[in-house]
């Protein structure tokens, strides 16, 4: 009998220690100390035992009763405290799903573009957004009275300087500090005093490319632009060069990709407005005047340069019809990419 009571005590204490709710604790109290519990039953039989056995059994069952009661009280206090302090760990509750961050669509596109060019052997570089007139215009063969300057509605900064209107500034910064050959791309923000509407913003993004070496030709430029178009919009993508003017390239072109949505068919396509082509940006062979500004020998070296509008490419690729969405930080929009 003594052994049985000791076993009862062990079991009760283990169950109490494992109880996580007050309700369960109350059930344990009834079961182990209640009027119809095995312990009470044993105690009620004490009187009928031979006198020499009574003290030992009495001590064992009394001790068990006391230990169980104490364990119940203690466990009860712990549970109440935990509930009030909010520290109870309920492993059955659903967990908090951690919010996963991700790249903004323009950043991930800039990274994708960068890696396309890295595979072609270009290094990724950057330059300052706060610039001076020299790097934004003069060194790019756009002197003060040049009409092309009017096309760039520029934010001038108090105390001199300006916000760069294009990433072409980085061409100058790189050539100033690096002897040829150079092969770089520079993604980044640009600013113009444009009136904001669905297709214009005062902040936009470009990636600039520059390749200078001996014997670089227009064919290299076209091949490079074509490789970009195919990797960005699919292997069927075609490239079209249209004659254009930029002060820092001669000859200069604007280039288009065949529309990836209608596959160049046009007819009612909302991305290419029915033309079958989407305009990306400008490019050309680096003007000798630009080489002169950075001290490269135009007799020895030739080069090509190009820009690409990252916002524009993102709009074409994802069928976005309002550039403002990129800068509104509305998670309902940015989470879709
Ligand atoms: N910087 C020009 C713009 O923002 C784009 C451009 C045209 C970049 C021709 C070039 C280039 O590198 O060669 O409109």
């Amino acid at each position: 009998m003594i052994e049985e009571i000791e076993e009862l005590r062990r079991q009760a204490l283990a169950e109490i220690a494992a109880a996580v709710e007050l309700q369960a604790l109350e059930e344990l109290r009834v079961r182990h100390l209640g009027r119809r519990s095995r312990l009470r039953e044993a105690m009620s039989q004490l009187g009928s035992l031979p006198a020499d056995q009574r003290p030992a059994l009495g001590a064992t069952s009394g001790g068990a009763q006391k230990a169980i009661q104490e364990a119940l009280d203690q466990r009860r206090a712990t549970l109440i405290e935990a509930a009030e302090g909010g520290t109870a760990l309920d492993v059955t509750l659903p967990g908090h799903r951690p919010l996963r961050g991700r790249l903004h669509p323009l950043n991930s596109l800039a990274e994708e573009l960068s890696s396309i060019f890295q595979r072609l052997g270009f290094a990724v570089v950057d330059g300052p957004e706060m610039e001076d007139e020299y790097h934004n215009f003069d060194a790019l063969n756009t002197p003060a009275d040049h009409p092309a300057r009017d096309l760039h509605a520029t934010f001038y900064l108090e105390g001199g300087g300006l916000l760069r209107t294009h990433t072409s500034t980085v061409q100058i910064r790189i050539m100033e500090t690096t002897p040829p050959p150079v092969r770089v791309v520079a993604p980044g923000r640009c600013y113009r005093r444009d009136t904001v509407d669905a297709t214009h913003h005062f902040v936009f993004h470009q990636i600039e490319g520059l390749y200078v070496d001996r014997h670089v030709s227009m064919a290299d430029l076209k091949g490079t632009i074509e490789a970009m178009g195919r990797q960005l919009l699919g292997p069927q993508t075609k490239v079209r060069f249209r004659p254009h003017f930029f002060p820092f390239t001669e000859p200069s072109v604007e280039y288009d990709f065949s529309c990836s949505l209608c596959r160049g068919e046009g007819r009612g396509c909302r991305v290419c407005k029915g033309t079958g082509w989407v305009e990306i940006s400008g490019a050309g062979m680096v003007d000798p005047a630009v080489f002169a500004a950075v001290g490269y020998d135009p007799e020895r070296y030739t080069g090509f340069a190009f820009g690409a509008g990252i916002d524009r490419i993102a709009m074409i690729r994802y069928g976005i019809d309002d550039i403002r969405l990129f800068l509104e930080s509305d998670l309902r929009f940015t989470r879709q990419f």
Side-chain angles (χ1 to χ4, degrees):
M1 185 98 104
I2 287 186
E3 265 138 54
E4 191 200 334
I5 288 168
E6 266 164 2
E7 176 54 29
L8 275 176
R9 169 184 169 150
R10 263 194 298 281
Q11 207 186 326
L13 293 183
E15 286 173 9
I16 290 163
V20 290
E21 281 172 19
L22 292 173
Q23 173 69 23
L25 216 50
E26 175 58 15
E27 281 163 22
L28 288 174
R29 190 193 63 75
V30 172
R31 177 135 57 87
H32 293 295
L33 299 180
R35 255 182 296 127
R36 280 182 299 186
S37 64
R38 181 72 188 99
L39 191 59
R40 286 286 282 270
E41 196 184 310
M43 288 168 99
S44 68
Q45 286 167 8
L46 271 179
S48 58
L49 284 177
D52 60 336
Q53 290 180 17
R54 276 183 222 157
L57 193 63
T60 307
S61 42
Q65 189 183 29
K66 190 160 172 259
I68 293 171
Q69 188 60 58
E70 272 172 18
L72 280 169
D73 292 345
Q74 227 170 55
R75 188 69 193 150
R76 187 181 169 77
T78 307
L79 288 182
I80 287 173
E81 190 184 291
E84 283 171 352
T87 53
L89 175 64
D90 184 347
V91 294
T92 67
L93 285 174
H96 296 286
R97 190 180 289 277
L99 274 183
R100 270 176 73 213
R102 68 186 75 177
L103 287 178
H104 187 280
L106 292 180
N107 284 335
S108 70
L109 188 55
E111 285 199 357
E112 188 180 333
L113 279 159
S114 298
S115 74
I116 288 174
F117 286 107
Q118 277 173 314
R119 290 196 291 274
L120 294 172
F122 287 74
V124 179
V125 296
D126 66 8
E129 292 176 22
M130 280 169 62
E131 265 294 1
D132 49 44
E133 294 196 43
Y134 178 75
H135 289 89
N136 200 82
F137 293 122
D138 303 80
L140 286 162
N141 196 31
T142 319
D145 57 352
H146 200 291
R149 239 155 136 141
D150 302 336
L151 299 175
H152 292 220
T154 309
F155 284 114
Y156 288 94
L157 301 171
E158 270 176 34
L162 47 79
L163 296 179
R164 69 177 177 195
T165 60
H166 52 182
T167 45
S168 302
T169 53
V170 188
Q171 290 185 32
I172 302 302
R173 296 223 167 248
I174 289 297
M175 287 191 282
E176 276 174 344
T177 52
T178 322
V182 294
R183 190 156 33 165
V184 294
V185 287
R189 283 179 176 241
C190 308
Y191 304 82
R192 284 184 204 177
R193 285 182 50 177
D194 273 336
T195 303
V196 176
D197 64 22
T199 52
H200 297 85
H201 208 288
F202 52 84
V203 185
F204 58 99
H205 303 75
Q206 290 185 337
I207 185 165
E208 188 80 12
L210 174 69
Y211 180 19
V212 182
D213 203 344
R214 303 206 63 185
H215 316 301
V216 175
S217 73
M218 193 100 174
D220 297 322
L221 170 62
K222 198 159 190 190
T224 304
I225 297 286
E226 206 165 71
M228 162 166 75
R230 288 185 179 163
Q231 292 190 52
L232 264 184
L233 302 177
Q236 75 295 337
T237 306
K238 293 192 186 64
V239 172
R240 179 170 83 172
F241 277 11
R242 288 176 286 108
H244 200 73
F245 172 79
F246 293 102
F248 32 91
T249 41
E250 183 59 35
S252 303
V253 298
E254 275 191 331
Y255 64 94
D256 307 332
F257 289 153
S258 57
C259 180
S260 57
L261 189 69
C262 64
R263 306 210 157 214
E265 304 256 309
R267 263 176 285 147
C269 175
R270 69 189 166 88
V271 167
C272 64
K273 308 272 182 308
T275 64
W277 296 95
V278 288
E279 186 184 320
I280 304 296
S281 185
M285 300 307 292
V286 179
D287 195 294
V290 173
F291 282 154
V294 296
Y296 278 19
D297 179 357
E299 295 301 323
R300 205 172 147 74
Y301 292 100
T302 54
F304 67 68
F306 59 90
I310 297 178
D311 315 68
R312 173 169 283 266
I313 294 172
M315 289 172 81
I316 294 163
R317 183 148 143 183
Y318 302 120
I320 295 162
D321 56 11
D322 194 330
I323 194 174
R324 290 169 288 201
L325 289 166
F326 289 127
L327 288 154
E328 280 171 358
S329 300
D330 185 335
L331 291 179
R332 290 171 302 181
F333 172 75
T334 49
R335 278 208 183 117
Q336 292 177 45
F337 301 95

